[in-house]
Amino acid sequence: MAATTGKRSPTDGVIESDVLVIGAGLSGLVAASVAYAAGRRVAVIDQEPEASLGGQAHWSFGGLFLVDSPEQRRLGVRDSEELALGDWLSSAAFDRPEDAWARRWAEAYVHFAAAEKRRWLRSLGVKLFPLVQWAERGGYGPTGHGNSVPRFHVVWGTGPGLLEPFLAKVAEGVSTGRIRLHFRHRAATLTTAAGRVTGVGGEILAESAAARGAASSRTVVGNFQATAGAVIVASGGIGANHPMVRKLWPHGTAPEQLLSGVPASVDGEFLAVAQESGAALINGDRMWHYPEGIHNHSPVWPLHGIRILPGPSSLWLDATGTQLPPPLYPGFDSQGALRHIVGSGHGYSWFVCSRTVALKELALSGSEQNPDLSNRDLRLLAARLQKNAPTPLRAFLEHGIDFLQAATPRELASRMNGLAGNSRIDPAGLEALIRQRDLQLETGLGKDLQLAAVRAARHFASDRLMRVAAPHRFEDPAHGPLVAVRLSVLTRKTLGGLQTDLQSRVLDGAGVPIPGLFAAGEAAGFGGGGIHGYRALEGTFLGGCLFSGRAAGLEAAASV
């Protein structure tokens, strides 16, 4: 839903409001809608054209972390706030003095996810797909990283469906004249008076016809000044700014090639502006990038990559053909796998499986790669389960440059080496690995922990129906041909950010709130400057935007 006509107002050079929101992504829209509902005049500025209203959330799969939900209970999942908080804290592994506020945000968010979150969303008209998914399964014991139970709830309508109620509320505000949207406005400075943030200054960019997500021009055609009683920074993270990602990558070990899982506008540049004005910007080395990226065969933005959401059956091999160690199976610990792969000295890895596994388990993340869920199309959803359905994954299997198929392991190894431009995969070694794996399967028991994990996963109804193929021999012609997928590192989320207290007030280096300045979403590390610590449990990024955006909108409105 478009909230304005996109035409520039003659008064765009001077913007006045009670609450000013920097960024028109999910957290910014939530903050704006909440501040408007509280009776405030709101201005939203964004450097992109109106076509990109909603930001990254539009492209998302729409996964939400919920605890002890009716959807879980209907599937026989027994969850609790205590269990979820234990999983969160074990995964986050907070270990820095500056993590104090992040931990408090984590505790508050888990309580929100176990109590009010689902009711609030349902009151806004947001519905959930009934089959809960199991992401980040862990595998390090009861006190290690991972979700003890499935908690990944997909919005019926994916990311666009989650945006709908907030776009509608903002559109209502626009129609009443109490919300104004200013596209192609790039904030460059914070302004202050008497120790309080009073607005921003910046540049007006040339009008752009760039489609949603596509890179837009940075031609400057003017300047603007915005004043407000409170400013909310919701400008997002750094995922498309590869030089910054490389600079902040721990120990400077970023791989040579990176794909972008976010549009080019996700540049993180305003974070430095806030830091220069005294805001505490923390945990920059904590990032959430994925090792399971593939090249989009129809790219929208530069280096456009798609993440594979894998089931547990594929063999995961490094660039030399060596299997990743337990518990680094697909879907168990993405950051552990990422560190292992990059630590091997190579920036890519491989999934190897049968075609049957590929078609059932290699789901693609994102709204555009799941048209059945995004368009709420029940017929298309039912077709997904049919053997020869023309799914987006099948299109990648046939046309994606990272997908290879072959009748035998040796032939597959040859094609893998051809794609990589080297001879790192030993054909005899790959053949032996696949055949030993198949021998373990035929025992019905065996010593292979990955096969045990596959069998265990199929005890859960959602996995058995949609996500995990019945165990079978990879070399069985009935399940062939063999498939290899080259995986690249895909940039995505910033886990650190501007440090905030539980009222979303931005703190300075001494831990004191900066009057008039608030932050939400990825710019705030989804709360506290890093609510996730070192690892996320998935479904927590959109939810973090909702939770922190609502807090920022309420508190900013109350402060003026």
Side-chain angles (χ1 to χ4, degrees):
M1 175 185 294
T4 74
T5 64
K7 295 180 180 179
R8 180 163 292 149
S9 164
T11 61
D12 273 3
V14 178
I15 301 169
E16 296 179 349
S17 62
D18 298 322
V19 175
L20 174 68
V21 180
I22 304 171
L26 178 59
S27 62
L29 293 174
V30 172
S33 64
V34 168
Y36 157 71
R40 299 294 182 258
R41 294 177 303 119
V42 180
V44 181
I45 61 174
D46 196 283
Q47 66 183 359
E48 294 308 300
E50 184 177 5
S52 288
L53 182 63
Q56 295 180 61
H58 172 86
W59 301 97
S60 75
F61 192 35
L64 295 174
F65 177 93
L66 292 172
V67 178
D68 192 27
S69 69
E71 288 77 18
Q72 286 174 300
R73 293 194 292 271
R74 280 195 290 269
L75 293 168
V77 175
R78 288 176 281 186
D79 199 4
S80 70
E81 183 176 341
E82 179 184 13
L83 181 63
L85 182 58
D87 286 348
W88 190 296
L89 296 179
S90 295
S91 299
F94 295 123
D95 61 357
R96 298 171 178 173
E98 58 267 36
D99 286 334
W101 278 112
R103 180 177 178 125
R104 292 180 65 180
W105 270 92
E107 293 167 348
Y109 179 72
V110 171
H111 178 71
F112 173 65
E116 183 187 2
K117 182 178 179 181
R118 184 180 181 277
R119 293 195 301 271
W120 176 55
L121 290 173
R122 284 187 67 84
S123 75
L124 297 174
V126 176
K127 297 181 180 179
L128 303 173
F129 185 62
L131 295 179
V132 183
Q133 306 297 307
W134 197 345
E136 291 295 302
R137 299 173 190 236
Y140 298 96
T143 61
H145 165 67
N147 284 295
S148 298
V149 298
R151 298 190 176 106
F152 192 83
H153 298 65
V154 178
V155 172
W156 185 233
T158 64
L162 183 61
L163 281 166
E164 280 179 0
F166 305 105
L167 288 171
K169 180 59 73 172
V170 168
E172 176 191 308
V174 170
S175 69
T176 65
R178 298 214 334 264
I179 294 181
R180 295 191 64 189
L181 299 178
H182 302 269
F183 301 105
R184 305 299 283 157
H185 281 58
R186 180 170 61 185
T189 62
L190 282 168
T191 56
T192 61
R196 182 181 181 88
V197 172
T198 57
V200 302
E203 301 164 331
I204 301 176
L205 305 178
E207 296 283 0
S208 172
R212 178 184 291 278
S216 61
S217 79
R218 290 294 179 261
T219 302
V220 176
V221 297
N223 298 288
F224 74 93
Q225 190 68 40
T227 60
V231 174
I232 300 173
V233 180
S235 54
I238 68 171
N241 190 335
H242 288 190
M244 189 177 295
V245 168
R246 294 180 187 282
K247 179 180 178 181
L248 294 173
W249 197 286
H251 313 300
T253 58
E256 181 177 345
Q257 177 180 338
L258 295 170
L259 298 180
S260 284
V262 293
S265 59
V266 186
D267 55 30
E269 291 183 358
F270 194 77
L271 294 173
V273 174
Q275 185 180 34
E276 290 168 2
S277 297
L281 182 62
I282 63 173
N283 297 323
D285 60 327
R286 294 177 181 170
M287 296 176 278
W288 190 256
H289 306 312
Y290 292 109
E292 313 103 330
I294 55 173
H295 293 78
N296 191 342
H297 59 67
S298 302
V300 176
W301 54 79
L303 296 173
H304 188 171
I306 300 293
R307 186 206 174 192
I308 289 178
L309 298 171
S313 299
S314 297
L315 295 172
W316 200 342
L317 313 181
D318 68 16
T320 69
T322 302
Q323 189 174 9
L324 271 59
L328 301 182
Y329 310 130
F332 280 68
D333 177 12
S334 63
Q335 296 310 289
L338 177 64
R339 285 196 293 271
H340 182 88
I341 291 162
V342 174
S344 73
H346 307 289
Y348 67 96
S349 61
W350 300 93
F351 282 162
V352 171
C353 60
S354 67
R355 186 178 174 91
T356 295
V357 166
L359 290 173
K360 184 158 188 175
E361 296 196 11
L362 302 187
L364 301 172
S365 181
S367 57
E368 82 280 20
Q369 301 300 332
N370 294 275
D372 47 359
L373 296 169
S374 297
N375 298 326
R376 303 180 177 100
D377 189 327
L378 291 173
R379 289 186 178 180
L380 196 57
L381 179 64
R384 180 189 288 232
L385 301 178
Q386 297 174 6
K387 185 175 181 180
N388 295 314
T391 63
L393 189 282
R394 190 179 293 273
F396 271 90
L397 194 60
E398 303 300 337
H399 306 295
I401 64 171
D402 297 303
F403 288 76
L404 304 169
Q405 301 181 66
T408 68
R410 288 176 179 262
E411 181 186 355
L412 188 66
S414 176
R415 294 188 177 184
M416 293 164 72
N417 287 332
L419 181 60
N422 55 52
S423 56
R424 294 184 179 127
I425 306 297
D426 175 31
L430 181 61
E431 181 180 60
L433 175 62
I434 292 174
R435 290 187 175 171
Q436 287 298 319
R437 179 260 178 207
D438 286 355
L439 284 173
Q440 288 290 309
L441 173 71
E442 290 175 347
T443 69
L445 295 171
K447 61 185 179 183
D448 190 330
L449 292 178
Q450 183 174 6
L451 287 173
V454 170
R455 294 186 182 106
R458 285 182 56 82
H459 289 298
F460 176 53
S462 292
D463 279 346
R464 186 171 61 254
L465 180 62
M466 294 190 66
R467 298 292 289 123
V468 184
H472 57 270
R473 291 176 54 249
F474 281 178
E475 286 198 274
D476 184 344
H479 295 282
L482 292 168
V483 174
V485 186
R486 181 182 59 181
L487 307 171
S488 301
V489 175
L490 181 75
T491 63
R492 185 64 67 83
K493 297 295 181 186
T494 310
L495 296 187
L498 299 173
Q499 190 174 35
T500 58
D501 62 14
L502 287 177
Q503 286 73 49
S504 286
R505 299 179 296 181
V506 175
L507 307 179
D508 64 17
V512 177
I514 298 174
L517 188 61
F518 301 80
E522 194 171 353
F526 302 95
I531 190 173
H532 298 96
Y534 289 94
R535 280 185 172 102
L537 291 175
E538 290 291 11
T540 56
F541 301 120
L542 293 175
C545 289
L546 296 171
F547 190 52
S548 62
R550 190 173 73 156
L554 287 171
E555 297 298 333
S559 73
V560 298

